[in-house]
Amino acid sequence: MTSEPEPATGAAERRPRVRRGLVIVNTGEGKGKTTAALGVMFRAWGRDFRTRMFQFIKTAGARFGEHRAAERIGIPIEAGGDGCTIRSKDTEQAAALAAQQWERCKEAILSGEHDLIVLDELAYVLHYGWVPTADVIETLRRRPEGMHVIVTGRYAPQELIDFADLVTDMRVIKHPYRDQGIKAQLGIEL
Amino acid sequence: MTSEPEPATGAAERRPRVRRGLVIVNTGEGKGKTTAALGVMFRAWGRDFRTRMFQFIKTAGARFGEHRAAERIGIPIEAGGDGCTIRSKDTEQAAALAAQQWERCKEAILSGEHDLIVLDELAYVLHYGWVPTADVIETLRRRPEGMHVIVTGRYAPQELIDFADLVTDMRVIKHPYRDQGIKAQLGIEL
């Protein structure tokens, strides 16, 4: 851990910068994993990056703030289908949907048509073994040079953490749902 | 800590939802504090929230991805002036700039013209005592009902954590700058 403030971006901006595709993992029990990935997408869009997000777990057809916003600025967010959750009664179906979604991701990653791809909740899916971590790492290894990939979700497997360049653990200090019974807020969490 | 997956947003969507303005704090040594705030701004924009971001610390005139993106969609991001950092040679000037910026924030918070205000790096500024935490908490207490405020930055003071509804600690597991000497990437971190 450093006690330095955020990187001195002013000075950094003036130095030549080598583009290096990063594999970023946002994991942990806290809030902000998907949200930080959305923040990077937003920033990347400001730099005219070709960006795409694939969602595992989350409900197909959901029209949350991020879907509305992404649609407005032309970033595709592709949902992986309803019922893709461990709480689903049909775990086999959930696993099949996740595997299908991963095939789409893999194609997109290897296509070379994107600068940034977000694989939302993939870590969770890997944890449950619905998609093999080795296949994901192999695909990331074969990705086009300079391409950034963000994986979010709880329980990121150690092999993925070992492979990644940047890993952040989002920890709950205080949670309004857990601590005060406040429901998720539109425009903030949904 | 819960071992539940993310909230079952499908079901939650169907239940009536009471709007409740949240005070959110993103703190810790890791990446993603500002980035997650940008993600919420993006989501909020998708819900047509009136949103505004004030930056402490960061360089005035910086044209990072987030500034470019925010400008395109008409969200004002207002920088607090150059040199507003503890690394500045002139700490007195840094403190004065932070105090000035806080006065602008306060006015915006109390104006009732916004649904979401992001106070980027304010926690850091509070830690150094450049703005009194008590004044911030008092202002947040007096904010219009339903207004959400996000404070980011390292070293969030305990009083602010106690007052907030949602607090996340972003922890570094692996950092490309620290661990591999990779510079911050355009479109991802800048």
Side-chain angles (χ1 to χ4, degrees):
Chain A
M1 300 284 166
T2 165
S3 64
E4 287 289 277
E6 303 294 322
T9 39
E13 275 287 67
R14 287 184 289 272
R15 264 177 277 140
R17 188 176 301 278
V18 177
R19 176 149 166 189
R20 156 77 192 260
L22 298 177
V23 173
I24 298 171
V25 175
N26 296 342
T27 192
E29 309 260 334
K31 305 286 289 182
K33 299 183 287 295
T34 297
T35 311
L38 291 170
V40 176
M41 273 177 44
F42 182 65
R43 190 176 271 148
W45 176 72
R47 297 268 184 200
D48 295 316
F49 276 29
R50 297 159 304 167
T51 300
R52 194 161 162 190
M53 181 184 231
F54 291 91
Q55 294 191 307
F56 291 83
I57 310 296
K58 278 160 192 167
T59 314
R63 295 274 301 143
F64 299 156
E66 59 265 42
H67 301 101
R68 295 164 198 254
E71 197 176 285
R72 285 188 193 167
I73 65 174
I75 296 178
I77 296 188
E78 287 157 64
D82 246 325
C84 182
T85 157
I86 195 68
R87 290 198 285 196
S88 162
K89 280 176 197 142
D90 189 348
T91 310
E92 222 167 277
Q93 193 213 5
L97 283 168
Q100 265 174 36
Q101 179 74 332
W102 167 243
E103 289 306 316
R104 279 182 221 117
C105 298
K106 194 149 98 173
E107 203 185 309
I109 291 168
L110 299 175
S111 74
E113 289 166 13
H114 310 282
D115 302 297
L116 167 66
I117 288 189
V118 179
L119 306 172
D120 187 42
E121 305 286 2
L122 176 62
Y124 182 80
V125 160
L126 295 177
H127 172 76
Y128 284 103
W130 297 343
V131 167
T133 303
D135 187 17
V136 170
I137 290 175
E138 185 50 31
T139 305
L140 293 177
R141 211 186 290 279
R142 288 168 52 211
R143 78 192 190 280
E145 215 185 309
M147 171 192 254
H148 304 283
V149 176
I150 305 179
V151 176
T152 79
R154 294 176 184 215
Y155 320 129
Q158 190 59 45
E159 306 90 289
L160 181 65
I161 290 174
D162 292 343
F163 182 74
D165 299 294
L166 168 56
V167 183
T168 306
D169 180 23
M170 272 75 170
R171 298 210 181 186
V172 184
I173 294 184
K174 209 171 183 184
H175 193 297
Y177 187 81
R178 192 191 60 179
D179 301 334
Q180 301 175 61
I182 300 171
K183 290 217 184 310
Q185 292 291 312
L186 292 184
I188 301 298
E189 296 156 285
L190 301 179
Chain B
M1 301 287 166
T2 166
S3 64
E4 286 289 277
E6 303 292 323
T9 39
E13 276 288 67
R14 287 184 289 273
R15 264 176 278 141
R17 186 178 302 278
V18 176
R19 175 148 167 190
R20 157 78 192 263
L22 298 177
V23 172
I24 298 171
V25 175
N26 296 343
T27 193
E29 309 260 334
K31 305 287 288 182
K33 299 182 288 294
T34 297
T35 311
L38 290 170
V40 175
M41 273 178 43
F42 182 64
R43 189 176 271 148
W45 177 71
R47 298 269 185 199
D48 296 316
F49 277 28
R50 297 161 303 167
T51 299
R52 195 162 162 190
M53 182 184 231
F54 291 91
Q55 295 192 306
F56 290 83
I57 311 297
K58 276 161 193 164
T59 313
R63 295 274 301 143
F64 299 157
E66 59 264 43
H67 301 101
R68 294 163 198 256
E71 197 176 286
R72 285 188 194 168
I73 65 173
I75 295 178
I77 296 189
E78 287 158 63
D82 246 324
C84 181
T85 157
I86 195 68
R87 290 197 287 194
S88 162
K89 280 177 197 140
D90 188 349
T91 310
E92 222 167 278
Q93 193 214 4
L97 284 167
Q100 266 173 36
Q101 178 75 330
W102 167 242
E103 290 305 316
R104 280 182 220 117
C105 298
K106 195 148 99 173
E107 202 184 308
I109 291 168
L110 299 175
S111 75
E113 289 167 13
H114 310 283
D115 301 297
L116 168 66
I117 288 189
V118 179
L119 306 172
D120 187 42
E121 305 286 4
L122 176 62
Y124 182 80
V125 161
L126 296 177
H127 172 75
Y128 284 104
W130 297 343
V131 167
T133 302
D135 187 17
V136 170
I137 290 175
E138 184 51 30
T139 305
L140 293 177
R141 210 187 291 282
R142 287 168 53 211
R143 78 190 191 281
E145 214 186 310
M147 171 193 254
H148 304 284
V149 176
I150 305 179
V151 176
T152 79
R154 294 178 184 213
Y155 320 128
Q158 190 58 46
E159 306 90 290
L160 181 65
I161 290 174
D162 292 342
F163 181 74
D165 299 294
L166 169 55
V167 183
T168 306
D169 180 23
M170 272 76 171
R171 298 211 183 186
V172 185
I173 294 185
K174 209 170 182 185
H175 193 297
Y177 187 81
R178 193 191 59 179
D179 301 334
Q180 301 175 61
I182 300 172
K183 290 219 184 308
Q185 293 291 311
L186 292 184
I188 300 298
E189 296 155 286
L190 301 179

